[in-house]
Amino acid sequence: MAQQRIVGIDLGTTNSLVAYMQGDKPVIIPGVDGSNLVPSVVALDPIPAGGGRPSVTVGNSARKALIETPERVVYSVKRLMGRGIEEVRKELKYFPFRLAEDVEAGLGISNEVPRIQLGELRFTPPEISAYILRQLKRNAERFFGAQVRQAVITVPAYFNDGQRQATKDAGRMAGLEVLRLVNEPTAAALAYGLDRAKEGTIAVYDLGGGTFDISILKLRDGIFEVQSTNGDTHLGGDDIDNLLVAIALDEIRDEHGVDLRAQPGAVQALRMAAIDAKIKLSAEQSVRFDIELPYGDRYQREIPRSVFEAIIEPVLARTAGPCKQAMADAGVTPEQIDEVVLVGGSTRIPAVRALVDNLFHLSARGNKQHIELNPDEVVALGAAVQADILAGSSQATEELLLLDVTPLSLGMEQLGGTVARMIQRNSTIPASATEHFTTGVDGQTSVAIHVLQGERELAADCRSLARFDLKEIPPMAAGLPRIEVRFLIDADGILQVSAREQRSGKAAQIEVKPTYGLTDEQVENMILDSFDHAEEDFAKRLLIEARNEADSILAVVAKAPQNPAWNQLSAEEQTAVAAARDWLTMVKQTSNLGAISQAIVALDKATRHFAELMMDAAVSSAIRGKTMTEAGEKVDEAVTAPHAMAPAEFN
């Protein structure tokens, strides 16, 4: 029986590719037209003359419909994957397609997956992506003469959980089992790693059609370990195209008195001319922009490379910030970067290469950028390497290991609205973490778990990922339940959270599904916000934690008169406890952290003898009639307790 093929797929914003390992070398599988690139364009054909559902075309044939029937064509759908309706709506000013009418009318809920209206039919972004993946699957099956059912698909490193899940959904719709999602910069490092078995620190600068990623990796003994990752999910060659088109539209309106924005076909013709000019300017010093307008006019303009570079400078400059942050997160300076790999078609632009040279101080050190592999193909080639690693089908990759990271921290809300961070950002994945918590209210029978993503100290400033309940917990006194919470990130970066009350065995879990509604600005600024507000956040957290500690101590002291040990205290000791209690009760409502801390220390000192008497009684009770081993277990249980969670979290 023939071995099952696992292919590597680069599902790109502008173009998509499929590749496989041919012996010890990754190779791109060409399409039926002989081209390695499949444009990520999907078109809905006209309704057949005899009626029925119109067919769908993908790739170069679909691009031809952009000018004639732009309302039946969708492209750059990757920018819409896993995103909310309002986010998608902002994108549509650049595209000829529109949201389905019922959603535009406000009948859809805010986190509904948006649907694109193409002619008579409606499609979600994952459905559109599935058509592209299905075409790549057909290309591979025609090439192999056999079915292809499994694939590794690349995604931008900064794709959030919703965008990753949407990509997996698209794969399933296309009839593919997605064995792994691998970050695009990491895939590029894998592709280059086959040719250069070196140790060192590598930066992968990936500027594609719709996204920008920067990753810092360590290469050592066949292990590719991602040290940090950063990027911008809304930055790429499309933004350059949109700039050129916007300038041309304004000039045509001013010079010819025609506003082409109301004519989608003309706008798309202008966009294709802008893309052609952009590509030529990577090799030529000047190009002529020449396009026929409606009513017989022509728009002509000479564009020198210097003017082009001035126009796009603000777009390119946006890549500098993520690069500097990624180096800071990895703890390296530009001089410690041994090699820089360029990925994505937009890195062919000379101004981009000059920017990279300056960012990483390459020329000054005599280093060169790595452009040996086709920047359009290198991600797909790396995906094929990862597919081969999973298949274990060749000696070329049997000693390679890929260690990826999660770009944002994950945790849960705890007492007072603070965040218990479970998995830190830039942790190597797969990853897991387990913490133990308890209740803060007597007799609680259910627990609400609130899962968060972000770098801030307070839950209100982080992104809410999911909520679920742990129910039917036997009623016990506050502090007695032992609740184990486990976070697990799989190799695709998908999160699973489980909770279990250890005494009763009651358990619950959730897999974090697509959570649309996170704006690009929120994703890209989470880490920067955490730095900007670090001091303020930390002060708030300390105050909340001090108040929580005060509440816990006061709750114990309130029950003190009912404990037999209380009567063993002298009248002076009881008076001192009451005075310290009243002082703490008063100051804990203020924002004076120092006063609260002092009051806690004072009450702790006043109750120390009482605590010793209670412990003596507890130990005596624990060991009465027990063997030494049994007594030890009872004492350990009496003095060991997990952290308490907020009553608001345990309803």
Side-chain angles (χ1 to χ4, degrees), residues 621-637:
S621 175
I623 66 176
R624 191 176 296 121
K626 302 290 193 306
T627 66
M628 291 299 293
T629 300
E630 292 171 336
E633 292 174 350
K634 286 290 184 181
V635 171
D636 287 343
E637 186 173 320

Side-chain angles (χ1 to χ4, degrees), residues 1-8 19-21 137 140-141 144-152 175-179 384 386-394:
M1 184 176 177
Q3 184 179 16
Q4 175 65 40
R5 289 280 188 179
I6 305 176
V7 296
Y20 79 109
M21 285 292 288
K137 181 175 182 286
E141 289 175 338
F144 294 129
Q147 283 192 327
V148 171
R149 298 189 181 92
Q150 297 177 318
V152 168
L176 288 168
E177 179 186 358
V178 183
L179 298 180
Q386 177 62 26
D388 198 64
I389 292 173
L390 294 178
S393 55
S394 79

Side-chain angles (χ1 to χ4, degrees), residues 241 271-281 287-289:
D241 304 338
R271 180 175 177 272
M272 294 176 73
I275 293 172
D276 184 58
K278 175 186 71 174
I279 293 172
K280 289 180 178 178
L281 281 168
V287 298
R288 186 156 184 82
F289 207 93

Side-chain angles (χ1 to χ4, degrees), residues 15-28:
N15 297 295
S16 296
L17 306 90
V18 58
Y20 79 109
M21 285 292 288
Q22 186 180 67
D24 61 355
K25 182 179 180 182
V27 176
I28 302 294

Side-chain angles (χ1 to χ4, degrees), residues 298-320:
R298 299 194 73 83
Y299 170 63
Q300 297 177 319
R301 179 178 175 177
E302 191 75 20
I303 305 179
R305 181 187 287 178
S306 59
V307 172
F308 170 70
E309 291 178 347
I311 291 172
I312 68 172
E313 192 277 333
V315 174
L316 304 188
R318 287 169 56 194
T319 69

